[in-house]
Amino acid sequence: MYSTAFCKVYNQFGWNYFPEAFGEQLLTWLRQNQVTVRKSLDLACGTGVLCELLAGEGIEASGMDFSEGMIQIAMERNPKLHYEVADMITYRPKEQFDLVTCTGDALNHIMRLEDIDRIFANVYAYLAEGGYFIFDILNEKEVPMAEPIDLDFSETVKAQFMVTHDADGRINLQTTVYENGEKQFEENIKEIVHDEKAVCELLQKNGFRVEKCANHFLENEGNYSKTWYIIARK
Ligand SMILES: C[S@@+](CC[C@H](N)C(=O)[O-])C[C@H]1O[C@@H](n2cnc3c(N)ncnc32)[C@H](O)[C@@H]1O
């Protein structure tokens, strides 16, 4: 779970760029494939940027996340949308959705493949027949050890980001925030890289048809990235 202080850094730092960019691609994909979505759910929705974009298209968009700070920001950004604080491993709403998304490396926060399996079983239960489950996962070969990145928020507040690898193969994103040179807090976010083939097998085991598993989302756009995109259908 992200601390509320870190959620504010996330919002201010501009990581909202990722869901904005993906959201534009998703809208293009929906148009290109003539997919009509009435009701959508974004798992691990963060600050709610993707939900807002979908709602802007007339979709009844909702989101959930287990970091209260993220949901607080999402609700402040758009009080009209429905958001919930919950853990996607156990989350199983009663209603059905014709689009379920989970992006921004959110599934890389789930350490155990058994838990990914539980998420897929749950999504299958609340996805409408013919509905799409679209998500991304990090591509292992593209996660470099990074030099610290320094960022100035204001005259007095500065943040430093650093990506390291633990001995057990996990990725650690360390964020340290300083005010007037004094350390205010440090957040360590752990992620793990899952093999995309193992992930696709789990989808199939849970009844999904895998329509796409590739390191780009749209065709012919040259947008090859550090991320795998998976389109699964019920
Ligand atoms: C890198 S952020 C991405 C947020 C958003 N999807 C985006 O693209 O901006 C990962 C999010 O996953 C959420 N998360 C991680 N594990 C979760 C879980 N088990 N259930 C629900 N949310 C989770 C975190 O709270 C965080 O908001």
Side-chain angles (χ1 to χ4, degrees):
M1 194 173 307
Y2 293 0
S3 70
T4 299
F6 179 72
C7 292
K8 287 188 182 141
V9 173
Y10 189 101
N11 197 37
Q12 271 177 290
F13 171 55
W15 277 318
N16 289 336
Y17 162 77
F18 295 105
E20 273 164 17
F22 175 74
E24 290 305 335
Q25 291 195 13
L26 177 60
L27 293 178
T28 303
W29 182 87
L30 291 172
R31 275 192 289 274
Q32 282 176 350
N33 291 280
Q34 298 173 350
V35 175
T36 306
V37 177
R38 196 180 59 80
K39 210 166 147 113
S40 70
L41 170 67
D42 190 25
L43 295 174
C45 65
T47 56
V49 173
L50 184 57
C51 295
E52 274 172 31
L53 272 171
L54 294 172
E57 296 295 304
I59 295 170
E60 193 185 321
S62 58
M64 63 79 73
D65 197 289
F66 78 169
S67 299
E68 282 176 25
M70 290 301 213
I71 292 296
Q72 212 174 316
I73 293 168
M75 287 166 93
E76 279 162 18
R77 288 175 63 109
N78 204 326
K80 287 195 184 130
L81 300 189
H82 176 76
Y83 290 110
E84 270 183 73
V85 176
D87 185 339
M88 63 179 153
I89 297 171
T90 49
Y91 188 66
R92 197 183 267 223
K94 295 257 180 305
E95 71 247 75
Q96 300 262 294
F97 301 88
D98 31 31
L99 173 67
V100 176
T101 49
C102 185
T103 63
D105 308 344
L107 283 177
N108 296 91
H109 292 61
I110 308 297
M111 295 295 143
R112 300 172 344 142
L113 264 183
E114 302 96 272
D115 288 332
I116 301 257
D117 192 18
R118 289 172 74 189
I119 294 170
F120 289 174
N122 285 329
V123 173
Y124 195 82
Y126 54 74
L127 192 66
E129 212 49 54
Y132 285 95
F133 177 32
I134 298 181
F135 61 91
D136 65 31
I137 48 172
L138 212 53
N139 179 349
E140 181 179 19
K141 297 167 277 301
E142 301 286 345
V143 186
M145 276 285 269
E147 290 297 313
I149 301 169
D150 290 309
L151 260 190
D152 292 348
F153 281 112
S154 66
E155 281 285 297
T156 54
V157 181
K158 302 190 187 311
Q160 191 178 62
F161 302 97
M162 197 164 63
V163 179
T164 56
H165 290 259
D166 291 350
D168 58 8
R170 293 179 190 189
I171 301 158
N172 186 42
L173 172 65
Q174 187 182 75
T175 304
T176 317
V177 174
Y178 301 88
E179 186 160 11
N180 292 318
E182 294 249 326
K183 184 166 157 181
Q184 295 298 304
F185 74 91
E186 181 185 296
E187 182 104 353
N188 286 284
I189 292 174
K190 302 267 183 219
E191 294 196 23
I192 191 161
V193 175
H194 296 294
D195 174 54
E196 71 280 357
K197 288 192 196 73
V199 168
C200 288
E201 278 166 20
L202 280 184
L203 282 166
Q204 283 158 345
K205 177 191 151 228
N206 281 288
F208 288 99
R209 198 165 66 234
V210 179
E211 296 205 339
K212 180 176 194 142
C213 175
N215 63 350
H216 59 282
F217 186 64
L218 295 176
E219 299 300 328
N220 308 319
E221 291 241 338
N223 52 344
Y224 297 89
S225 74
K226 301 171 181 179
T227 298
W228 284 87
Y229 295 92
I230 292 149
I231 301 177
R233 194 163 190 199
K234 180 167 173 177

